[in-house]
Amino acid sequence: MKKNSYIAVFVTLAAAIVILHNSMYPIAQSDLQSGFVLRALNRFFSRMGCDVILTQYMIRKLAHFTEYFFFGLLLTITLRTIHKILHNVFFLELFLSLAVPMVDETIQIFYQGRTSNVIDVWIDFSGCIAGMGLCYLIHALFRLFVNHH
């Protein structure tokens, strides 16, 4: 493997560890984090003159989708770095895009005030798929552009 491959694997593993570590926070600490983001975003929308008021629930679900969106991006980039032919790793991408959220939600069962939620697994998986899809789209557009010029 090339140096870039090792870096990509390290960054992707680090992202997975951060995601799983976030699941280990007790509910009080998790509420503080999402509450900070909630207040900041509501202030931002208010200053922009928008009548949007976000809720804690919305922020939590958006956080799930967002962190897994970036994980999906990293996962696809990493596997593309290791294996140059995309279709050889597609099922591995799908497996990891579902396995990590399942482990994430399972970890939460063991921490005070946290619960496991199947809906969150689907939100996480959707975030991964969206991140993967963006990588595939950029790759396809790049190939289309290069082939036409």
Side-chain angles (χ1 to χ4, degrees), residues 62-74:
L62 182 61
H64 273 271
F65 184 87
T66 303
E67 71 182 353
Y68 278 97
F69 174 84
F70 287 110
F71 179 70
L73 281 172
L74 290 171

Side-chain angles (χ1 to χ4, degrees), residues 70-137:
F70 287 110
F71 179 70
L73 281 172
L74 290 171
L75 182 62
T76 301
I77 291 167
T78 297
L79 292 176
R80 283 186 51 80
T81 302
I82 295 170
H83 299 285
K84 294 299 181 188
I85 302 169
L86 264 179
H87 65 274
N88 286 343
V89 296
F90 183 71
F91 289 106
L92 178 59
E93 286 176 287
L94 287 178
F95 172 77
L96 292 173
S97 293
L98 191 55
V100 174
M102 289 175 68
V103 170
D104 182 17
E105 288 302 310
T106 302
I107 286 171
Q108 292 183 32
I109 294 170
F110 302 102
Y111 287 87
Q112 182 181 11
R114 302 296 296 262
T115 59
S116 182
N117 190 339
V118 173
I119 292 170
D120 288 346
V121 173
W122 284 108
I123 292 170
D124 299 343
F125 182 62
S126 297
C128 276
I129 296 300
M132 288 170 51
L134 180 61
C135 281
Y136 282 102
L137 177 63

Side-chain angles (χ1 to χ4, degrees), residues 40-55:
L41 286 176
N42 279 335
R43 242 178 305 182
F44 171 76
F45 286 130
S46 176
R47 288 182 183 170
M48 298 300 290
C50 297
D51 290 334
V52 175
I53 298 176
L54 300 173
T55 66

